[in-house]
Amino acid sequence: MMKEIVETKFKEIFGTEGRFKTYFAPGRVNLIGEHTDYNGGHVFPCALTMGTYATVREREDKILNFYSMNFDDLGILTSSIDNLVYNENENWINYPKGVIWALKNEGYNIDHGFDIVYYGTIPNGAGLSSSASLEVLTGFILKDMFKLDMDNTKIALIGQMAENKYVGVNCGIMDQFVIANGKKDNAVFLDTATLEYKYAPINLENEKIVIINTNKKRGLGDSKYNVRRAECEKALEELQESGLQIKSLGDLTEKEFEEHKSAIKDEIRQKRAKHAVYENQRTLKAVQALENNDLELFGKLMVESHNSLRDDYEVTGIELDTAVEEALKQEGVIGARMTGAGFGGCAVSIVKTDKVENFIKNVEKGYREKIGYNPEFYVVEIGNGVRAI
């Protein structure tokens, strides 16, 4: 259905002649392991069935024509293979342009342009990785179009490079990685230090994953994300200078951290590092809990994760805290926490299937009373990674 919608729009915008092809890349939600991916820790995300679609046709010249059904009013935005300079005024096309730039930078031969129509079903600014979805989708399309010799993990790394070095946001690898390598009904247990990963089945027989979108928009680039990252880097430096032989905060157990935390000279940085260490250990415990079919413990660890993100990492804010507080009051809730970078965006909860309807009604009411406007809810399925459709 979605494929037909995007292809129809493509024909309307760019005409019917020539061969075109359609692709999909999912959004993602991280179940636990937040702000650990740039601290050498573990994460536990899954790909969703909502995501970004694109229909594309090759050109013989160097022209790049971009069109997004989410930004109809902007019309066709045109660039060129020979002009891949970042331009703030070029809006969303800096993401796909950044991917082309990163590929060329890595020595891949991208020698002609294309016409492309994108359509995203991930709400913008919700924190479900619309930008990473766009990057991975573009990387996969280019791999297919130019027969580039690379696997999906390389596509993820190209997407991260585009975001870090071209767009200027110091994101970790998690988002791009799970979007590239997601698997239906499985979460991806990823060691961000080594990129080793395994699939962990999510057996939700009587439960659903419900995402609460606070409708508080957040922009990664202008959020305090880069500040938190710098605070953790400084804390790591101080621990290393004290003689601790570690490559990242993710190398530490809780006990080791408590024994050495006095080397971190600033109380705020201590709190940031504590979150990175404890959250990584929580993620390890959470995956173990799932393997033991202990959903209750998994839910408890989700709540601990949120509290740490609120108190030690300070990236939640009143909207996310309210969403989680209201969620945890409801019957049939196994766990809830903020997900994504924070400062707005979404919370994720696991709810008994027969309680989902009441959960949504009650959380909406409680949230509206405190915040003044409604949140949105998505009952999501876990889907596969990027692919041609």
Side-chain angles (χ1 to χ4, degrees), residues 57-66 77-84 97 100 104 109-115 142 145-146:
R57 180 181 61 206
E58 295 182 57
R59 298 178 61 92
E60 288 176 4
D61 56 17
K62 303 284 184 81
I63 299 295
L64 299 164
N65 283 323
F66 299 99
L77 298 173
T78 298
S79 189
S80 161
I81 292 289
D82 296 332
N83 178 27
L84 295 171
K97 267 178 63 184
I100 302 167
K104 284 173 79 79
N109 183 30
I110 312 288
D111 59 5
H112 60 262
F114 50 84
D115 302 324
L142 292 165
M145 189 184 288
F146 292 97

Side-chain angles (χ1 to χ4, degrees), residues 9 12-13 67-76 92 118:
K9 180 57 93 171
E12 185 190 309
I13 300 293
Y67 185 93
S68 170
M69 292 168 67
N70 302 84
F71 301 104
D72 275 321
D73 54 320
L74 296 177
I76 297 170
W92 64 272
Y118 292 99

Side-chain angles (χ1 to χ4, degrees), residues 367-382:
Y367 184 87
R368 185 177 56 247
E369 282 170 4
K370 189 159 183 184
I371 304 299
Y373 54 83
N374 284 344
E376 284 174 39
F377 297 86
Y378 321 118
V379 181
V380 297
E381 305 291 330
I382 301 175

Side-chain angles (χ1 to χ4, degrees), residues 39 53 59 84 87 127 181 233 248 284 293 313 320 361:
N39 284 311
Y53 297 80
R59 298 178 61 92
L84 295 171
N87 180 347
N181 293 305
E233 282 164 5
S248 68
L284 298 173
N293 262 334
Y313 222 63
L320 282 166
K361 193 171 69 183

Side-chain angles (χ1 to χ4, degrees), residues 73-241:
D73 54 320
L74 296 177
I76 297 170
L77 298 173
T78 298
S79 189
S80 161
I81 292 289
D82 296 332
N83 178 27
L84 295 171
V85 180
Y86 179 84
N87 180 347
E88 207 174 319
N89 299 327
E90 288 198 319
N91 203 284
W92 64 272
I93 74 166
N94 282 305
Y95 291 98
K97 267 178 63 184
V99 172
I100 302 167
W101 170 85
L103 283 166
K104 284 173 79 79
N105 220 37
E106 289 282 285
Y108 291 101
N109 183 30
I110 312 288
D111 59 5
H112 60 262
F114 50 84
D115 302 324
I116 191 163
V117 169
Y118 292 99
Y119 177 49
T121 59
I122 310 166
N124 288 326
L128 300 175
S129 269
S130 52
S131 59
S133 182
L134 186 56
E135 289 155 3
V136 171
L137 179 61
T138 306
F140 187 86
I141 289 168
L142 292 165
K143 173 199 167 168
D144 197 29
M145 189 184 288
F146 292 97
K147 305 293 178 266
L148 305 178
D149 181 21
M150 57 185 190
D151 62 8
N152 280 11
T153 296
K154 181 66 178 177
I155 293 172
L157 289 164
I158 289 287
Q160 185 194 16
M161 184 197 287
E163 191 137 349
N164 289 177
K165 304 224 165 80
Y166 190 86
V167 180
V169 177
N170 287 321
C171 67
I173 188 60
M174 172 182 74
D175 296 352
Q176 290 85 354
F177 193 94
V178 69
I179 289 164
N181 293 305
K183 184 179 174 187
K184 187 173 162 47
D185 297 331
N186 283 257
V188 178
F189 180 46
L190 170 66
D191 181 342
T192 62
T194 63
L195 295 191
E196 286 175 15
Y197 70 102
K198 67 175 184 179
Y199 293 111
I202 304 288
N203 299 314
L204 299 178
E205 286 169 21
N206 305 304
E207 300 83 18
K208 293 283 183 199
I209 297 172
V210 183
I211 294 174
I212 309 165
N213 182 356
T214 63
N215 279 325
K216 161 91 187 295
K217 295 282 190 287
R218 46 149 218 103
L220 255 187
D222 53 22
S223 74
K224 301 187 185 92
Y225 179 94
N226 288 349
V227 177
R228 291 293 177 277
R229 190 160 180 159
E231 287 166 340
C232 286
E233 282 164 5
K234 180 68 178 162
L236 173 63
E237 207 177 286
E238 289 170 306
L239 288 166
Q240 288 167 332
E241 282 167 2

